[in-house]
């Protein structure tokens, strides 16, 4: 199993550009989520999904869109990049349902710089 | 709302000394609790988790944590620090209601001095 994979590893954007961060998992997990990590602020939840076709907003959703057309993939779209979106982005997934403990598995991260 | 507090954003210990990283949560219902470790320029890796079995949980790399319901705490310890333990550590708690969401603390950076 590859686990949770993310592409690209690094990206530099100019203000106003758009892009999609890719996330895929091969563990058949129902739950997938996107976090951003900024110094001193821990991990903040951007968007999450509990299954294909179902997404919801987290703590800091503004400026980001998501969709979940398959169980495996959960892309994060930046509509019009701003310097405030400079951050490290992590995708994570977990199993849901009876008997599950919600342990999340993390991807390696995407380091995004917006100039 | 559920919250997690990690006391001390930076902790510095000497090699061979006890490591103690503190985590308190706010919940009237015992949740699932986790400690993750993040090495520089890497993703988060699970160290250990509490899932209502034993209150003393052993994890990887010699770490352990004790769930104390009366103190709403889940502190992480290791008897003897190693240089390779230098990393950022995150405590997390499951959100009530089986949403699948985890609430993370702000993180504690552990420095190990030779």
């Amino acid at each position: 199993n590859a686990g949770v994979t993310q592409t690209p590893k690094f990206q530099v954007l100019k203000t106003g550009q758009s892009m999609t961060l890719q996330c895929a998992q091969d563990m058949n997990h129902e739950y997938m989520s996107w976090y951003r990590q900024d110094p001193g602020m821990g991990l903040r939840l951007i968007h999450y999904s509990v299954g294909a076709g179902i997404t919801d907003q987290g703590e800091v959703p503004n400026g980001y869109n998501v969709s979940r057309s398959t169980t495996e993939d959960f892309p994060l779209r930046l509509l019009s990049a701003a310097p405030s979106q400079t951050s490290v982005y992590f995708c994570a997934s977990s199993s849901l349902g009876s008997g599950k403990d919600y342990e999340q598995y993390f991807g390696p991260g995407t380091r995004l710089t917006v100039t | 709302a559920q919250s997690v507090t990690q006391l001390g954003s930076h902790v510095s210990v000497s090699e061979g000394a006890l490591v103690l990283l503190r985590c308190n949560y706010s919940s009237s219902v015992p949740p699932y609790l986790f400690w993750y470790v993040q090495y520089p320029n890497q993703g988060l890796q699970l160290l250990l988790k509490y899932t209502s079995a034993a209150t003393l949980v052993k994890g990887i790399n010699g770490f352990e944590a004790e769930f104390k319901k009366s103190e709403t705490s889940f502190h992480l310890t290791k008897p003897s620090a190693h240089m390779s333990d230098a990393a950022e550590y995150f405590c997390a708690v499951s959100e009530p209601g089986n949403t699948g969401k985890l609430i993370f603390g702000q993180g504690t950076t552990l420095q190990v001095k030779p």
Side-chain angles (χ1 to χ4, degrees), chain A residues 5-114:
Chain A
T5 57
Q6 291 183 239
T7 55
K9 283 189 166 42
F10 301 94
Q11 183 70 49
V12 179
L13 290 179
K14 292 189 188 322
T15 297
Q17 287 184 317
S18 62
M19 79 158 294
T20 299
L21 279 63
Q22 301 292 345
C23 174
Q25 53 92 8
D26 61 359
M27 297 173 281
N28 204 32
H29 285 166
E30 299 92 341
Y31 182 90
M32 295 186 75
S33 56
W34 278 101
Y35 297 91
R36 60 177 289 172
Q37 183 180 25
D38 302 291
M41 306 196 70
L43 289 163
R44 292 183 291 169
L45 183 64
I46 305 172
H47 285 285
Y48 67 98
S49 167
V50 297
I54 306 168
T55 63
D56 207 346
Q57 295 181 351
E59 184 185 351
V60 288
N62 292 342
Y64 307 95
N65 266 1
V66 292
S67 60
R68 182 105 178 262
S69 55
T70 66
T71 299
E72 294 78 19
D73 300 297
F74 192 45
L76 178 73
R77 280 181 288 277
L78 279 69
L79 309 171
S80 177
S84 60
Q85 294 178 305
T86 293
S87 187
V88 182
Y89 291 85
F90 288 101
C91 180
S93 71
S94 67
S95 288
L96 295 178
S98 176
K100 302 300 182 182
D101 59 24
Y102 311 128
E103 174 188 343
Q104 292 191 4
Y105 295 77
F106 283 80
T110 294
R111 189 173 295 271
L112 176 68
T113 302
V114 182

Side-chain angles (χ1 to χ4, degrees), chain A residues 37 101-104 111, chain B residues 34 36 38 41 46 49 98:
Chain A
Q37 183 180 25
D101 59 24
Y102 311 128
E103 174 188 343
Q104 292 191 4
R111 189 173 295 271
Chain B
F34 306 84
Y36 284 87
Q38 184 182 31
N41 299 313
L46 183 73
K49 60 185 175 185
N98 298 330

Side-chain angles (χ1 to χ4, degrees), chain B residues 49-71:
Chain B
K49 60 185 175 185
Y50 167 76
T51 58
S52 75
T55 56
L56 182 62
V57 181
K58 293 189 187 300
I60 61 171
N61 301 339
F63 284 93
E64 62 182 39
E66 186 171 9
F67 171 68
K68 291 188 176 180
K69 182 180 174 183
S70 60
E71 299 177 8

